[in-house]
Amino acid sequence: MARIVGGLTSSHIPAIGNAIAKELFEDPYWKPFFDGYPPVRDWLAKVKPDIAVVIYNDHGLNFFLDKQPTFAIGAAPEYHNQDEGWGIPTIAPFKGAPEFSWHLINSIINDEFDLVTCQEMNVDHGFTMPMKLFWPDYADRDIKTVPLVINTVQHPLPSPKRCYNLGKALGKAIESYPQDLNVVIIGTGGLSHQLDGERAGFINKAFDQICMERIVDDPEYFLDMSIHDLVRQAGAQGAEFIMWLAMRGALGGTVKQIHSNYHIPISNTAAGLLCLENGP
Ligand code: DHB
Ligand code: FE
C-alpha cells in the first residue's frame, strides 16, 4: 500500500526562481532563507518519496476570475511551467502520475469533495518554486507529482476547517492506493503577507509563530477560524496558510518535526519552512 512519509511546507514566491538562477545562495539577503533547505533535502534522501502531492494556489494561470474552482487536481502525464512576471523561464516539465491521480480523484470525490479534474494543467510559482527548492535536480530524478489546487484568488475561499478535512480525505485516498509507494505532501505559500491595498507589506510575526508551532501538534487550533479571521491575522495573501492545513490534515495525528526555518522578509512574505515526519 502507499505510505505517507511526511509533509513539507515552503514559501513559493517567484523571486526565489530569480535568486536560484543567479545562485544567490550565500547572498546576505537570501542566505537565511536558502540555509533552511539542505536538512530537508537530507531527510528526502532518507525517506525517498516516489510521488509528491503539491497543494498550492493557482495564481490566475489555469483559473481566473471568470472560472474559479474551489478545489482542482491534476491528472496529466506532465506539467509545464507557464508562470509569468519574471518572463517564462524554460525549466524542465514535472512528471505526473495520472493513474495515481485518478485513484485520488475517485476516493476524494467519494468522500464528498467535488474536485475539478484537469487532464491538462500548467503550473506556476506556487508549484514550481517549492519543487525546485526540495529537488534542485528534479529533472534527472524519477519524482512524480500531483498538483492539488485550492482557490485563494476570488472569494468566497474555503474555510480552514474545509481545507483540513480535504487533507484528511487526501490522506485516506493515498493510504488506500494498492501499490507500495512513498508519498510526501507539500503545502506551499504563506506565511503572513499582503501584496495590495491599505495593508500592503503587512507581516504578522506573532501569528506566524503560532502557525509554525500549532500546525505541528495542535492543527485543530485553527479550525474555528473563518477565512476572514485568517485574512485579518495573516493578510489577504497570507490566507495561503490553508494549503498548510490541507497538508497537515493528510498526515496522522502525531508527527515528528524534523526541521523548521522562519525568516522575514523574503520579498513581501514571511517565509516558513517545515519538515514533518508522519507518525504511526
Ligand atoms: C509574493 C508572494 C506570493 O504569495 C506570490 O504568490 C507572489 C509574490 C511576494 O511576496 O513577492
Ligand atoms: Fe502566492
Side-chain angles (χ1 to χ4, degrees):
M1 302 299 275
R3 199 170 69 89
I4 301 171
V5 291
L8 307 174
T9 69
S10 173
S11 174
H12 65 211
I13 58 168
I16 298 164
N18 200 40
I20 292 174
K22 292 186 174 157
E23 299 186 5
L24 300 178
F25 309 118
E26 297 298 320
D27 178 277
Y29 180 87
W30 284 99
K31 187 173 167 48
F33 172 79
F34 283 120
D35 278 356
Y37 287 83
V40 184
R41 290 185 207 126
D42 291 346
W43 177 80
L44 287 167
K46 200 183 84 186
V47 298
K48 298 186 177 52
D50 302 292
I51 299 188
V53 177
V54 185
I55 307 172
Y56 74 105
N57 51 309
D58 179 274
H59 295 75
L61 176 64
N62 292 280
F63 315 112
F64 199 47
L65 304 181
D66 56 338
K67 301 181 194 70
Q68 189 53 245
T70 302
F71 302 121
I73 187 166
E78 60 180 18
Y79 303 97
H80 288 258
N81 177 49
Q82 287 289 333
D83 211 358
E84 37 64 56
W86 298 97
I88 299 180
T90 47
I91 61 170
F94 298 84
K95 297 175 189 80
E99 201 181 305
F100 181 73
S101 284
W102 279 111
H103 171 83
L104 300 187
I105 290 163
N106 278 303
S107 177
I108 294 171
I109 291 184
N110 191 47
D111 275 336
E112 300 176 357
F113 284 89
D114 303 318
L115 308 169
V116 170
T117 54
C118 306
Q119 298 191 68
E120 287 181 9
M121 194 171 182
N122 291 318
V123 288
D124 69 18
H125 57 275
F127 177 102
T128 60
M129 290 300 109
M131 284 299 298
K132 281 178 72 105
L133 287 162
F134 293 130
W135 291 276
D137 56 349
Y138 74 89
D140 303 323
R141 285 171 175 266
D142 196 25
I143 178 80
K144 297 192 173 64
T145 60
V146 178
L148 176 53
V149 165
I150 302 181
N151 168 32
T152 61
V153 168
Q154 173 154 271
H155 285 264
L157 314 185
S159 69
K161 186 195 277 171
R162 182 96 178 125
C163 296
Y164 183 73
N165 286 337
L166 171 68
K168 282 195 177 297
L170 169 66
K172 183 176 153 194
I174 293 169
E175 285 170 347
S176 66
Y177 192 67
Q179 217 178 314
D180 286 337
L181 291 172
N182 289 335
V183 181
V184 67
I185 322 278
I186 307 177
T188 92
L191 281 167
S192 62
H193 64 297
Q194 174 146 343
L195 302 178
D196 51 13
E198 279 176 21
R199 293 202 303 168
F202 173 80
I203 283 182
N204 184 347
K205 188 174 176 185
F207 183 68
D208 290 338
Q209 271 160 357
I210 292 173
C211 292
M212 292 290 292
E213 285 168 26
R214 297 260 179 178
I215 192 115
V216 181
D217 291 327
D218 184 22
E220 300 195 352
Y221 172 87
F222 301 99
L223 303 193
D224 290 334
M225 288 180 85
S226 70
I227 196 74
H228 295 102
D229 293 334
L230 186 57
V231 166
R232 222 171 276 122
Q233 294 277 8
Q237 282 71 40
E240 290 175 346
F241 183 62
I242 55 182
M243 316 308 148
W244 291 40
L245 286 170
M247 175 283 292
R248 184 64 186 86
L251 306 184
T254 313
V255 297
K256 181 173 161 204
Q257 183 174 309
I258 303 294
H259 186 65
S260 78
N261 192 43
Y262 176 83
H263 181 67
I264 49 174
I266 283 294
S267 190
N268 301 291
T269 304
L273 169 68
L274 279 176
C275 175
L276 306 177
E277 192 162 88
N278 206 9

